[in-house]
Amino acid sequence: MIRAGRQHLVRTLADLAAQRGVGIDRYTRLKPYEADGFPAPVSSPESRTRLYDGEQVDAYLLGKPVPPLPEPEAEDDGDLLDRRECAALIGVSPRSWDAYKNDPALIEARIEAGGVDHWPRRAVKAFQAARPGRDAAATRGGRPTRTGDQVPRDQVPALVAELLDADPTISAATVTERLGVHRDTAQQALTRLRADRIADHIAAHPTLTPTEAAAQLGYPAGQVRRATARAGTVLRARNVTPYLAEVAAALHRAGWTTTEAVPDVQLPGDDRVVAALVLDADRAPAPAVVWDERYGWRTAASRRHPITKGAALPSEGEGVRYLAGGIAPPPGDVVAALTTTPDA
């Protein structure tokens, strides 16, 4: 964690490399931060981004005694916690926190330090105390008749994640009873959470099939048919995201988007990957472009609804044009195709 009042001292590995006057690649090859006596990171042990306290590093490099940080037991509400530390504080998994952090209060409290999202301890504690539905996840109150969902929709994924953490075999019926939500709401949340976790497990163990990954996670075979199917789609979406980002960057360089936005990736029907990118600049050649893993790129006639409903492919005409070049043409080819008229 970053101790209260020390955010301005945070340094990344890139900062330490610059301090030594070398590039980050050379610095990480030399690994001087692994030498005996080098200050420990202030980031979580499992964090991908190492963060250090600059005062401690400076003292070490000058050969002076490294000043200690406040003891972990000395909690301060101004301490900044990363996602793993926030999850540990309120007793949930980091995956559950990833859903909780979309709460408006936590969005407002979020602080970036060293390129990593953090939250003040006080904000996490306040969120835990006021968390909608927190008692519903721990008690069996059931769902009253003739009522709607008893938990706000935006809180359902985090609460279901908490239940799934405690019992991988939990059913939609049990979620409905525990949270007081509609059965369809419970089933959708379980399917999406299990699919994401199956995909995460396969990413860590690439030789596994979705069915094998589900079994290792403790998910009953009879409950995860849709989740295993969606997990395969999630993995394909993750794999294609860097390519889509490259195309987005090329379209921005062409002057057709006002910001280098990441495409909006969707998984219609849980079985295919589709992405849309709105071309919001005045001289853009189309209102939007859509990528579909079945056919590649096409233009769209609407900025508000570029992805059409249903599995049927939209017909060409009235602003819709399929761009040649295959499923994943180079970004430059996408730009060229958009500047070429159909009759050219």
Side-chain angles (χ1 to χ4, degrees):
M1 76 184 70
I2 301 170
R3 284 303 186 177
R6 302 184 74 85
Q7 179 187 350
H8 65 290
L9 297 171
V10 170
R11 293 184 193 165
T12 64
L13 286 179
D15 295 329
L16 301 188
Q19 189 174 359
R20 289 283 297 271
V22 299
I24 183 62
D25 291 341
R26 177 174 172 77
Y27 190 77
T28 53
R29 285 198 303 271
L30 295 174
K31 293 181 169 46
Y33 45 84
E34 293 185 356
D36 291 341
F38 198 94
V42 296
S43 47
S44 296
E46 303 87 354
S47 179
R48 295 181 180 179
T49 303
R50 294 191 183 200
L51 302 178
Y52 292 83
D53 183 275
E55 184 181 23
Q56 288 190 319
V57 172
D58 290 345
Y60 170 84
L61 294 177
L62 293 171
K64 298 179 179 180
V66 175
L69 297 176
E71 292 296 325
E73 293 78 12
E75 291 187 357
D76 188 304
D77 279 350
D79 292 338
L80 298 181
L81 313 181
D82 65 20
R83 63 185 285 271
R84 291 176 177 81
E85 293 161 340
C86 290
L89 179 61
I90 65 175
V92 300
S93 72
R95 290 193 186 98
S96 295
W97 178 259
D98 289 341
Y100 286 136
K101 69 182 183 182
N102 295 315
D103 180 87
L106 292 176
I107 291 175
E108 183 176 355
R110 182 182 64 83
I111 295 173
E112 185 177 294
V116 178
D117 287 345
H118 288 76
W119 291 263
R121 186 189 299 275
R122 68 171 64 87
V124 180
K125 291 165 67 174
F127 168 76
Q128 173 70 345
R131 177 157 59 92
R134 61 190 299 261
D135 295 330
T139 60
R140 303 179 65 86
R143 181 173 188 247
T145 58
R146 294 185 298 277
T147 63
D149 288 349
Q150 302 302 296
V151 175
R153 284 295 183 96
D154 61 349
Q155 296 295 324
V156 170
L159 293 173
V160 176
E162 192 171 336
L163 294 175
L164 189 59
D165 290 341
D167 180 10
T169 68
I170 195 168
S171 66
T174 301
V175 171
T176 296
E177 182 181 0
R178 297 283 291 274
L179 298 185
V181 297
H182 193 278
R183 175 67 175 267
D184 291 347
T185 302
Q187 185 62 65
Q188 182 184 66
L190 272 177
T191 296
R192 293 185 174 184
L193 284 166
R194 282 179 167 143
D196 287 345
R197 294 182 180 189
I198 291 169
D200 290 343
H201 198 60
I202 293 174
H205 307 279
T207 61
L208 295 177
T209 66
T211 300
E212 292 169 341
Q216 289 190 7
L217 291 170
Y219 301 154
Q223 295 182 16
V224 294
R225 181 180 60 82
R226 288 182 59 190
T228 53
R230 181 180 171 90
T233 310
V234 169
L235 287 169
R236 297 198 305 277
R238 293 179 182 178
N239 289 336
V240 79
T241 295
Y243 165 71
L244 297 175
E246 290 177 0
V247 174
L251 297 178
H252 180 63
R253 289 193 298 271
W256 298 337
T257 61
T258 55
T259 60
E260 193 172 322
V262 177
D264 178 22
V265 178
Q266 300 182 28
L267 311 179
D270 293 340
D271 60 356
R272 60 191 174 98
V273 183
V274 180
L277 184 63
V278 173
L279 307 183
D280 57 353
D282 292 337
R283 61 188 187 90
V289 288
V290 174
W291 182 85
D292 189 307
E293 65 178 347
R294 297 172 297 174
Y295 58 76
W297 292 95
R298 68 168 173 84
T299 60
S302 170
R303 287 177 176 169
R304 290 190 62 189
H305 304 289
I307 298 177
T308 56
K309 294 182 178 180
L313 301 181
S315 301
E316 284 199 315
E318 298 184 356
V320 175
R321 177 165 64 96
Y322 288 86
L323 307 181
I327 300 299
D333 290 359
V334 178
V335 172
L338 285 168
T339 57
T340 303
T341 60
D343 297 328

